[in-house]
Amino acid sequence: MSRPPRIPPPPLHGTARQPRRARRMAAAQAAGFIRALAEANPAPQPELEYRDPFTLLVAVVLSAQTTDIAVNKATATLFEEAPDAASMAALGAEGIARHIRRLGLWQAKAKNVAALASLLLERHGGEVPREREALEALPGVGRKTANVVLNVAFGENAMAVDTHIFRLGNRTGLAPGDTPRAVEDALVKRCPPELLRDAHHWLILHGRYVCKARRPECWHCVARAFCNYPDKVSGPSD
């Protein structure tokens, strides 16, 4: 089997002017920040649509450098035709491509998903493994994707750091770091243990809809009192 193409990670700092990095929050501040997000959204849910661990894994692989809305449109038909590893492998890269042509990097993603499904059949009886090492050995699966699957599908306290969470961790001072892994490790240490599993959802939603890349909407932020960002925006007209 030829090696599937590697999808490059998105630029972690975005295309907008990179905000100044805030000073690191004190431990009590960090806990307060996450608790404020938790109180505002007690039952967070992932925005990717899935049916089981396999469809979740495929959806997360397809979501690289693509919006969840676009992925959900593509998987609505893809999962009808190929809901499991066996049918996805049988569909093959060309068949998968029919459903995902509107997604960024669709050619590489189609090859990765087809190869991923084949390896699941070959190595794991068609089931998604629960071990990080086995997940990261699958085509198109890196640490972030593995963390999402471990968290959402298997209930582990894993912290998946995407572009939004990387930006938020640095901008607010919640978990400053030069790499996604540094931000991940800091968040795991600083998050109240009982909130760790859901913290990924709170942070990604906050980064996506409030603490936005180009211009944070600080006037909507329920955790503003704990944030160390030096350039807070007080309203839409600022």
Side-chain angles (χ1 to χ4, degrees), residues 5-205:
R6 179 180 180 273
I7 297 174
L12 285 171
H13 300 300
T15 56
R17 178 179 63 87
Q18 185 180 345
R20 285 192 287 155
R21 179 179 291 186
R23 62 182 173 83
R24 186 181 183 89
M25 289 184 192
Q29 271 182 284
F33 187 98
I34 294 173
R35 291 190 191 281
L37 299 183
E39 290 174 6
N41 184 11
Q45 297 295 323
E47 294 190 319
L48 284 174
E49 295 174 359
Y50 67 98
R51 306 175 184 183
D52 52 27
F54 174 73
T55 52
L56 173 66
L57 175 61
V58 171
V60 179
V61 169
L62 294 178
S63 71
Q65 301 188 44
T66 306
T67 66
D68 288 358
I69 292 173
V71 173
N72 290 339
K73 289 179 180 178
T75 56
T77 57
L78 176 62
F79 293 157
E80 284 299 319
E81 186 170 358
D84 52 36
S87 54
M88 192 72 72
L91 194 58
E94 291 187 7
I96 294 167
R98 293 200 311 268
H99 298 274
I100 67 169
R101 288 182 187 275
R102 294 187 179 183
L103 302 184
L105 304 171
W106 63 271
Q107 292 170 308
K109 290 176 180 179
K111 291 178 181 178
N112 277 334
V113 170
L116 176 155
S118 295
L119 281 181
L120 286 179
L121 292 170
E122 178 184 325
R123 299 179 181 176
H124 306 288
E127 300 297 319
V128 175
R130 299 181 65 124
E131 299 78 27
R132 176 185 300 282
E133 183 177 356
L135 282 169
E136 292 185 18
L138 297 171
V141 178
R143 185 175 181 86
K144 186 203 76 172
T145 296
N147 278 342
V148 173
V149 173
L150 291 171
N151 180 298
V152 177
F154 300 125
E156 295 193 15
N157 290 334
M159 173 62 67
V161 175
D162 71 344
T163 304
H164 298 295
I165 296 179
F166 183 87
R167 179 182 68 251
L168 189 152
N170 281 289
R171 173 188 275 161
T172 64
L174 177 63
D178 292 328
T179 65
R181 182 60 187 271
V183 172
E184 175 189 334
D185 290 345
L187 287 171
V188 169
K189 289 178 181 177
R190 312 193 86 206
C191 182
E194 72 277 11
L195 300 180
L196 184 53
R197 184 187 176 195
D198 284 336
H200 159 73
H201 302 297
W202 290 316
L203 294 171
I204 192 172
L205 293 171

Side-chain angles (χ1 to χ4, degrees), residues 25 28-34 36 172 222-229 232:
M25 289 184 192
Q29 271 182 284
F33 187 98
I34 294 173
T172 64
V222 297
R224 178 173 177 162
F226 303 98
C227 177
N228 285 343
Y229 180 48
K232 290 187 179 71

